[in-house]
Amino acid sequence: MEKVLEISLCDQEDFTDRYNKKQVSKDLIDYIVEEAIFLKADQTIKMMIHNECKLNCDIVEMIKDGLALEYQKSLRSCYLNNWKQFVLWVIGILFLFLYTLIEENFVFSEALLIIAWVPIWEAIDMELFTDVKERKKRKILKKLLNSEFLIC
C-alpha cells in the first residue's frame, strides 16, 4: 500500500531556510515528518512536490539532505539521552548505596531513599517516552529517505 504525500512550494521562502538559502526549511522537514507519522509498517511513501514557484535548485536532493540532517540530529539526541540516562542511573544507585550505609537517622535515610529514586525514575521515564518517540521518528526518516520523489 502506498501513501502519497503532496507538497506545494508556492514561494522560495516555503522551501529554503531563512538564513541559508542552500538548506531546506526546518518547517518543511517538520511538516513532512508529521504527515508521515501515521504510516503503517507496510505502507510506502511517494512524495509529490508541486513546484509552483519554479525553483531552479535540485529540490529532491535538498529535501533528502534536510531529512538526512534531521536523522543525524535524532541520532545525536539519542546518544545524549543515553548518556543522561546512564548518569541519572549512577546517581540513583549512589544514593541507594548511601541509604544502606546510614541507619541511625531515620529522617535523613528516608530522604536519601526518596532522592535516590527520583533520578532512577527519570531515567526510566526517558527510556519509555523520549527514546520511543525518537526511535519512531528515525524509522520514519529512514522510510522518507528511501521514498520515491516526483516533481510536478
Side-chain angles (χ1 to χ4, degrees), residues 20-80:
N20 186 355
K21 298 297 181 193
K22 295 179 183 178
Q23 286 185 348
V24 71
S25 168
K26 173 82 169 116
D27 292 335
L28 179 60
I29 297 296
D30 290 342
Y31 169 76
I32 292 170
V33 171
E34 286 298 317
E35 287 297 311
I37 209 155
F38 299 108
L39 285 176
K40 297 177 184 169
D42 62 338
Q43 280 185 315
T44 59
I45 302 172
K46 181 188 282 187
M47 284 209 264
M48 189 172 292
I49 303 167
H50 300 283
N51 188 4
E52 296 172 7
C53 62
K54 306 296 182 210
L55 294 171
N56 295 332
C57 56
D58 188 7
I59 295 171
V60 173
E61 192 63 34
M62 285 181 71
I63 289 177
K64 283 190 175 186
D65 288 345
L67 291 170
L69 182 65
E70 192 67 26
Y71 184 78
Q72 293 299 320
K73 285 180 186 178
S74 181
L75 283 176
R76 175 115 173 108
S77 173
C78 177
Y79 176 77
L80 293 175

Side-chain angles (χ1 to χ4, degrees), residues 37-151:
I37 209 155
F38 299 108
L39 285 176
K40 297 177 184 169
D42 62 338
Q43 280 185 315
T44 59
I45 302 172
K46 181 188 282 187
M47 284 209 264
M48 189 172 292
I49 303 167
H50 300 283
N51 188 4
E52 296 172 7
C53 62
K54 306 296 182 210
L55 294 171
N56 295 332
C57 56
D58 188 7
I59 295 171
V60 173
E61 192 63 34
M62 285 181 71
I63 289 177
K64 283 190 175 186
D65 288 345
L67 291 170
L69 182 65
E70 192 67 26
Y71 184 78
Q72 293 299 320
K73 285 180 186 178
S74 181
L75 283 176
R76 175 115 173 108
S77 173
C78 177
Y79 176 77
L80 293 175
N81 276 344
N82 286 343
W83 270 105
K84 189 187 288 187
Q85 286 173 317
F86 176 73
V87 168
L88 288 170
W89 187 261
V90 168
I91 290 170
I93 297 298
L94 178 69
F95 277 106
L96 280 177
F97 179 71
L98 290 174
Y99 166 75
T100 60
L101 296 178
I102 298 175
E103 296 176 3
E104 293 126 16
N105 190 345
F106 177 74
V107 174
F108 186 65
S109 66
E110 290 300 315
L112 276 177
L113 181 64
I114 293 169
I115 291 170
W117 281 107
V118 169
I120 291 172
W121 279 112
E122 178 63 26
I124 292 170
D125 180 61
M126 287 174 68
E127 181 65 32
L128 292 176
F129 298 106
T130 307
D131 282 352
V132 169
K133 184 179 177 184
E134 284 295 317
R135 202 173 307 126
K136 186 175 182 180
K137 182 178 179 181
R138 280 193 306 276
K139 192 176 182 181
I140 289 168
L141 285 167
K142 272 186 182 179
K143 196 176 267 194
L144 286 168
L145 283 168
N146 296 324
S147 65
E148 181 183 352
F149 290 80
L150 298 172
I151 298 179

